[in-house]
Amino acid sequence: SRLEQMLADTTAVFTPSTMSEMVLNVTGVLFASNADSGGAGLQAAADRIRVAATKIAKDQGLDMDVAAGQAAAITKYTVDLLQFANNVLNEGYLSTTTISTKVNDNMLVMDDSFASSVDYKTNTAQSQAALFDGFDASILERSNPLLVKAGEMAAISGAVYLPNILPETLHKYGHAVVANGTTADIAWLVTDSIMYDDYVEGNGSPKLVRTVTLRGYDASDANVDRERLVTEVCNATRYSLENNGVDVHIGLMGIAQDLYEELAPFIDQTSSSHKIILNGHSIGGSLSNLLLLLLCMDRGAKYVKDRVANVFTFGSPPVAVLNEPDHVIFERARGIEGYCGILDAFGLPGSLVQGFLQPWDPVTRLFSEIDALYPLVDDMGEDGLTPWVNGPPRTLRPIVRQLFESLEVWPKMRTNYELTGGCKYVFIGTPHLLLPEPSRYLTDRLVSVNLAVPPIDTVLKAEATQLVPMLQKAFPLDEFSISLVSVALRSFIHHFHPAYGLAMEDHVMGNPSKSENALKEAEKDARESDFVKDIFGIRT
C-alpha cells in the first residue's frame, strides 16, 4: 500500500548510520566554526538569524521583537538538539563515572530542552552527559547469569502464544511440560527444569524449579472470550489488599484469584527444596505479579522468600500502587538499592521481580501516570458511546472507534476504562530497559518512522522509583504522538511478544544479526496479519 511504501522509504533513508553521520557533520561544521572564531561562531550565526528575522518582520509590518525572540529560540533549540545528539553518540547511555545520583525536576522536561545546558556563546556545556547520567542505573553484561535466565524466560513467555507449544523451545532450555491449560481466559503452562544458585551452573547443588508461565492477551485465540478479557483489563478500579496500604487492579486481580486456585496444586506438588518461578509477557506478567502477592498473603513472606526464585515480566502494564504520598515513598527509598515500595509492604525484596521493557512499548505505561492511551478515551459524544468527537484528526480515532464499537460489551468497557483507567499504578520490582544501539535510538527519537524492533545493544538496570522520569526524559510518548501512523504501528510491533522473546534470547546468545532477521520476519508477520491490516487499514 502507499502508506507502507512511504514508511519503508523513509525508514530506508533515515538509517542509524545516516542519522549519526548527519548529526556529526552538522555539529562539526557549527562547532568548528565556533572554535575557529574564538567562541563567537555560533553567537555570530545567531545574531545574523535575529537580524534577518527582524528585517523580514519590519518589511511585513510585524512585531520585530517577537520575530527576533522566535529566531533566538529556534537557534537555541537547534544547538540544544545537536548537543543532545552528540552526547548520546559520544557518551552513550551511561558514563563510566556517575555525575549525579539526584533526579532533579529539570530532567523530567526533555521534549523542549533535550536536557541540555549548552551556552552557544562560548560553546561550553555544563556537562557532557550520557543519556541516563543522573539516574541510579547500571548496565548488565550479556553474560550476567540473571540476564541469561531472563532470556530463557522471555523465550518461553513467547512460546505460549503459539497454537501448539513447540517442544523444541522448551527442550532447548531443559524444560519438561508438566501441564498446560486455560483459566479465566488466560492460557498457562507449567514446566520443570533444573537450576543452580544465582543461576550459575555448578554453583551449589542442582535444584528442581517449577516455572508457571502466563500468556497475555491473544487477539487470534478464538477459544477464549476475548471481549470478556478486554473488559476485565479495562476494569482498573483500585482494590485494597489487607491492611498493608497496597491497592491493585480489580479486574486483573479477579483473574489472578481464579488462576491461583487453579495453579496452587502444582506448587503444592513440589517439595520444600524446589524453587518456583512465575513468568509472563504483557498482562501475563502483570498476573504473575498478582499471583506473587496472593501467594504471600496466603502463605507468608518467609515462604515466598524461601521458595520463589524470581518473577520475570516482559512488557507488562503496572497493576498496583501504594496508598501513600509520593514524597513519603521516595524518602523511604532513599539510599536503598532496588527498593520497591509494593514488595516492601509485603516484606519482600525488590529484586524478587525482574521486569523488562521495550521503551517504546505503550502497554508498559497503561494505568500509570504516563499512560498515553487513557486520554484517548476521554472524549465521548453525547450518546456516551462514540469516542473522540472533538479535537484534531488522529490515526487512533477511527482505528479504536472501529474496534470498540464492534464489541457488544463496549458501553460497559468504555465506562469502566473512562472512570478507572487513570489509577497511576506503578512498576513492581526491578525494571530493565532494552535499548538499541545509540544511533538507532536517535533515529527513533528524532524521526520516529523506523517500525522494526532493533536488536538489543544494552540492557539497563534501573530503580523502580526512577522508571517514570527515565521514560519521560528519553522516550516521551503522549496521546498525540501515539496517534501518528508510524508511532501507532511501532507501538503495536514493539509490544508483540517477539520484541521480547526473540530479541532477548538472541542478545544473551550474542546473535544480533540473527535477532534482527528474526524480528524482521516477526514484524512482517504482524503487519501482514488480518488483525493488523483491519485495524490500520493498510491493505494493498
Side-chain angles (χ1 to χ4, degrees), residues 329-472:
I329 299 170
F330 276 87
E331 185 62 32
R332 186 185 301 128
R334 190 182 301 276
I336 303 178
E337 182 179 357
Y339 177 83
C340 172
I342 294 167
L343 294 179
D344 184 62
F346 285 85
L348 303 174
S351 60
L352 192 59
V353 176
Q354 299 289 325
F356 296 83
L357 300 83
Q358 286 284 0
W360 292 117
D361 179 355
V363 175
T364 62
R365 312 180 191 207
L366 284 178
F367 316 119
S368 74
E369 64 179 292
I370 54 171
D371 183 350
L373 297 176
Y374 174 67
L376 294 175
V377 189
D378 196 31
D379 182 15
M380 297 292 167
E382 293 182 359
D383 59 2
L385 302 177
T386 305
W388 313 320
V389 295
N390 302 302
R394 295 187 286 215
T395 300
L396 288 189
R397 178 181 298 198
I399 292 172
V400 181
R401 177 182 296 172
Q402 179 180 348
L403 278 176
F404 283 174
E405 293 182 346
S406 67
L407 302 176
E408 293 181 3
V409 296
W410 163 236
K412 179 181 178 182
M413 186 180 80
R414 191 273 307 168
T415 300
N416 285 342
Y417 194 43
E418 183 185 17
L419 296 178
T420 69
C423 285
K424 298 185 178 180
Y425 292 130
V426 299
F427 190 89
I428 297 177
T430 302
H432 302 77
L433 293 176
L434 308 179
L435 303 173
E437 194 273 330
S439 61
R440 171 60 191 271
Y441 162 72
L442 284 178
T443 305
D444 288 346
R445 174 71 176 87
L446 303 178
V447 184
S448 297
V449 292
N450 200 329
L451 308 182
V453 178
I456 298 169
D457 177 78
T458 301
V459 177
L460 193 73
K461 176 184 174 183
E463 296 289 325
T465 53
Q466 296 180 5
L467 180 61
V468 166
M470 289 177 76
L471 290 174
Q472 285 180 313

Side-chain angles (χ1 to χ4, degrees), residues 207-208 267-276 303 306-308:
K207 299 178 179 63
L208 177 69
I267 295 175
D268 294 333
Q269 291 166 7
T270 60
S271 74
S272 58
S273 63
H274 293 169
K275 294 295 184 179
I276 300 162
Y303 177 91
D306 288 345
R307 298 294 307 281
V308 178

Side-chain angles (χ1 to χ4, degrees), residues 79-291:
V79 175
D80 285 354
L81 172 60
L82 287 171
Q83 183 67 54
F84 161 73
N86 257 313
N87 284 350
V88 173
L89 290 177
N90 294 329
E91 303 296 328
Y93 295 117
L94 204 64
S95 298
T96 54
T97 57
T98 302
I99 294 177
S100 169
T101 57
K102 182 178 184 296
V103 180
N104 58 58
D105 295 336
N106 293 330
M107 299 183 73
L108 303 181
V109 189
M110 198 194 74
D111 253 344
D112 296 328
S113 68
F114 292 97
S116 174
S117 54
V118 181
D119 182 351
Y120 61 77
K121 295 181 180 180
T122 60
N123 186 26
T124 58
Q126 293 177 13
S127 63
Q128 282 282 346
L131 187 60
F132 292 111
D133 281 347
F135 291 98
D136 299 317
S138 59
I139 294 174
L140 296 188
E141 299 295 331
R142 292 177 191 266
S143 58
N144 183 290
L146 178 66
L147 185 56
V148 173
K149 188 66 176 181
E152 172 188 330
M153 291 296 102
I156 293 174
S157 73
V160 297
Y161 282 89
L162 302 176
N164 297 306
I165 298 172
L166 296 178
E168 305 92 76
T169 303
L170 302 178
H171 296 167
K172 175 181 178 180
Y173 291 105
H175 284 249
V177 176
V178 175
N180 64 295
T182 301
T183 302
D185 302 313
I186 296 294
W188 50 266
L189 171 69
V190 179
T191 58
D192 279 346
S193 60
I194 298 296
M195 65 169 278
Y196 293 86
D197 293 342
D198 301 320
Y199 304 123
V200 177
E201 187 170 353
N203 186 14
S205 57
K207 299 178 179 63
L208 177 69
V209 57
R210 178 151 289 181
T211 301
V212 177
T213 301
L214 305 179
R215 191 185 70 185
Y217 177 78
D218 185 354
S220 66
D221 188 355
N223 296 318
V224 300
D225 191 332
R226 290 166 292 186
E227 293 185 1
R228 180 174 61 194
L229 180 56
V230 170
T231 300
E232 290 304 314
V233 171
C234 292
N235 184 16
T237 303
R238 290 189 182 190
Y239 172 74
S240 296
L241 297 179
E242 295 183 340
N243 296 315
N244 53 18
V246 175
D247 289 350
V248 298
H249 184 300
I250 191 171
L252 289 180
M253 177 52 89
I255 295 174
Q257 289 169 333
D258 291 341
L259 285 166
Y260 184 74
E261 183 177 348
E262 182 79 25
L263 296 171
F266 294 104
I267 295 175
D268 294 333
Q269 291 166 7
T270 60
S271 74
S272 58
S273 63
H274 293 169
K275 294 295 184 179
I276 300 162
I277 288 178
L278 302 176
N279 181 43
H281 165 261
S282 192
I283 61 169
S286 303
L287 289 165
S288 294
N289 280 332
L290 294 176
L291 281 184

Side-chain angles (χ1 to χ4, degrees), residues 48-64:
R48 287 195 297 271
I49 292 174
R50 280 196 293 272
V51 169
T54 303
K55 183 178 184 302
I56 292 172
K58 181 179 180 180
D59 292 343
Q60 297 183 0
L62 303 176
D63 189 317
M64 291 184 289

